[in-house]
Amino acid sequence: MSDGRARRVFVEMLREEWRLHSRLFRGSHFSLFPVFICLLVGGAAKLLAVTGTEPKTVFAGLHALVFVFGLHTGSLGFVGRDALRNLLGDVTLLVFSARTLPLSQNTLLGLFVVKDSVYYAVLFLLPISLGTVLAVHGVAGPLLVAATVSLLWMTLALTFVLGMGTTIAALGLTGRGVPGLALLAAPLVAVGAALASGVDVVSYTPYGLFLAQTPLRVGATATVILGVFLLGALTFDATAPRSARTVEPVFRRWWRRIGDPVATKSLLDTHRSAGGFGKVLFSAAVLFGVTAALVDFAGQITGVPPSTGISFGAILGLSGFTTYNWLTQSDDVTLYFAHPLSVNAVFAGKFRAFLLLGPLVGLAFYGLALAWRGGPVAEAVVGAVLLVGVACYIFGTTVYLTGLSPNEFLFDTALFAVFGAAMVLPLVPILIAGFAISPLSGPLLAALGGSGGVLGAVGVGLYRRSLPKWSTRYQQA
């Protein structure tokens, strides 16, 4: 716009994003996060390169992860409004301000996408690109490294934008009722049919552009991205009022079954927030898909059929973090202290809610993995023990480090590093056994089952040990 309104709103959106992170993650604590991300991703890429993984495979996996990150980021501003309201108060993001600002809805939506693309491209994608290229190609040939980093950064940014656009278009179509759902299913079916018939779908994505910078692939990538955003602009309405929902007064009935008021409130908050329990299932489903890909990938590298029970059990236990995150994301901690509740009682309720939701969801997907992949009964039993043990260990570690604010991991470099080390040290040996040793002997299975029990006990111990610390801190706040 000639009067500069769009530019002003774009700058304010960037400022809004920074302030949002500052309030959620204590401003200065994520200033070193890009450096940590560069080192972390570089270390992982170097490990894959050393184990004989082709660079093409590393870059393909990286593009897939960034696409998932784009899907998630696109959903935060729209389906995460309940959590933002409870965490920050009654706020209105600029992307929802078409009725009060002299800008159209489509302009605000476009500015929102550009803002997120710029913000996360610098904060995440640039350090990811630099760390990966240095790990795979080394420092020899500075010009080659610079060119590869630039190309990778560009295609990762396009992949991220494609993920965000896909989410916006999907949200817009799902809000259009049955016709929208049918239209949403059409491209999914088309892509599935193309893959089944052997069409190289990758060529029409930003990763295809990374592999070969031909005019055809440039045009195909641009067409896909523009098509997705055009569909989103035509169907998504960020200012549409939410339909009124009438809910039955079920708190007392749930309370009688669950036996704890805080656990009941936590589960009801999750159920009644945007996405409901479906977002817990979706998080576990994403982890399930990633695990399946990792199992196939490990089998190709080692030449040994991985253990379904051990590999799926250990990795699906990581869903404990996302479950606890959902159980606390709709909370304002200070509201609990308006009631005659101790801090210990609040944490006890969260623990009960976690036990009722987290391990059960993980075990449901674990059963699906066993039905799909099969495996010996003994390994299946040990894998189930590992899943519950890892989930409880993650719960205890998260509570010990962050209390009722697990989101602090996202951009607090020190907390993220400590949490990562606490996960890697016990889980890597278990995953090596599950991925690279076949068949698993009786003593090794017994040791793995025992490690699951030990991890669960350590998690419960960390949870209990953290209670005095958090009681003092929250009472002084």
Side-chain angles (χ1 to χ4, degrees):
M1 288 186 176
S2 59
D3 58 2
R5 286 180 292 175
R7 183 177 61 183
R8 176 64 185 275
V9 171
F10 173 72
V11 173
E12 293 302 324
M13 280 186 171
L14 286 174
R15 186 172 297 160
E16 177 185 68
E17 190 79 16
W18 178 266
R19 288 174 175 172
L20 183 65
H21 285 134
S22 296
R23 292 185 63 181
L24 287 177
F25 311 117
R26 297 181 297 174
S28 61
H29 283 245
F30 67 93
S31 58
L32 292 177
F33 198 74
V35 178
F36 180 74
I37 286 293
C38 180
L39 296 175
L40 181 65
V41 174
K46 188 65 176 179
L47 180 62
L48 290 172
V50 169
T51 56
T53 306
E54 292 291 331
K56 181 179 178 180
T57 305
V58 174
F59 291 127
L62 192 60
H63 280 80
L65 291 175
V66 169
F67 179 72
V68 173
F69 178 51
L71 291 173
H72 178 66
T73 303
S75 69
L76 284 181
F78 302 111
V79 302
R81 281 182 277 182
D82 291 334
L84 289 175
R85 184 182 299 109
N86 288 324
L87 288 168
L88 301 176
D90 191 11
V91 297
T92 300
L93 299 180
L94 288 172
V95 70
F96 303 124
S97 303
R99 294 184 177 180
T100 56
L101 293 178
L103 291 173
S104 68
Q105 169 197 311
N106 288 342
T107 300
L108 286 173
L109 186 61
L111 290 173
F112 171 81
V113 172
V114 174
K115 177 267 300 180
D116 264 10
S117 302
V118 172
Y119 190 87
Y120 290 104
V122 175
L123 191 66
F124 283 102
L125 303 182
L126 180 57
I128 286 175
S129 303
L130 181 61
T132 304
V133 172
L134 289 177
V136 172
H137 293 303
V139 294
L143 293 179
L144 175 62
V145 169
T148 307
V149 169
S150 300
L151 176 61
L152 180 61
W153 187 26
M154 180 190 70
T155 56
L156 288 181
L158 291 174
T159 303
F160 177 78
V161 170
L162 179 60
M164 281 202 304
T166 301
T167 296
I168 295 170
L171 290 173
L173 289 173
T174 54
R176 301 285 174 167
V178 176
L181 292 175
L183 186 58
L184 176 62
L188 297 178
V189 172
V191 171
L195 289 173
S197 61
V199 176
D200 187 12
V201 177
V202 173
S203 300
Y204 304 97
T205 66
Y207 176 61
L209 181 60
F210 174 78
L211 295 177
Q213 299 78 55
T214 63
L216 177 61
R217 296 196 175 191
V218 171
T221 301
T223 301
V224 170
I225 294 176
L226 290 176
V228 166
F229 276 101
L230 179 61
L231 183 60
L234 292 175
T235 58
F236 185 79
D237 185 2
T239 63
R242 293 187 176 191
S243 57
R245 293 193 305 168
T246 302
V247 294
E248 298 180 1
V250 298
F251 180 85
R252 291 187 180 275
R253 185 167 74 244
W254 283 40
W255 185 5
R256 285 193 297 269
R257 295 177 180 177
I258 297 172
D260 184 281
V262 176
T264 304
K265 178 185 180 302
S266 299
L267 291 171
L268 273 175
D269 284 345
T270 304
H271 173 54
R272 291 173 174 174
S273 63
F277 288 128
K279 56 179 173 277
V280 181
L281 295 173
F282 177 76
S283 299
V286 170
L287 197 58
F288 176 84
V290 170
T291 307
L294 286 175
V295 168
D296 292 338
F297 184 52
Q300 295 174 6
I301 293 177
T302 63
V304 175
S307 168
T308 299
I310 305 304
S311 56
F312 274 89
I315 298 179
L316 285 175
L318 298 174
S319 63
F321 174 75
T322 56
T323 301
Y324 182 60
N325 186 47
W326 291 125
L327 289 172
T328 57
Q329 198 171 38
S330 297
D331 276 340
D332 182 347
V333 178
T334 59
L335 294 180
Y336 286 110
F337 306 135
H339 303 278
L341 288 171
S342 66
V343 176
N344 288 3
V346 174
F347 276 102
K350 292 295 182 183
F351 189 26
R352 178 172 293 194
F354 171 82
L355 291 176
L356 290 172
L357 186 60
L360 293 181
V361 170
L363 288 172
F365 280 95
Y366 180 68
L368 181 61
L370 292 177
W372 175 27
R373 302 271 182 154
V377 175
E379 293 182 13
V381 173
V382 171
V385 173
L386 277 172
L387 189 153
V388 176
V390 170
C392 291
Y393 174 71
I394 287 181
F395 172 84
T397 304
T398 305
V399 170
Y400 186 83
L401 292 175
T402 65
L404 294 170
S405 305
N407 265 328
E408 289 187 8
F409 279 142
L410 294 180
F411 294 104
D412 191 315
T413 307
L415 281 179
F416 193 86
V418 172
F419 179 78
M423 294 300 106
V424 167
L425 290 177
L427 287 180
V428 166
I430 295 173
L431 292 176
I432 289 176
F435 285 152
I437 301 177
S438 181
L440 294 168
S441 63
L444 182 55
L445 279 175
L448 290 171
S451 66
V454 170
L455 286 174
V458 170
V460 174
L462 287 172
Y463 153 70
R464 291 177 176 172
R465 187 176 178 83
S466 69
L467 294 179
K469 175 182 69 173
W470 293 114
S471 295
T472 302
R473 184 170 301 182
Y474 286 131
Q475 288 171 357
Q476 291 176 348

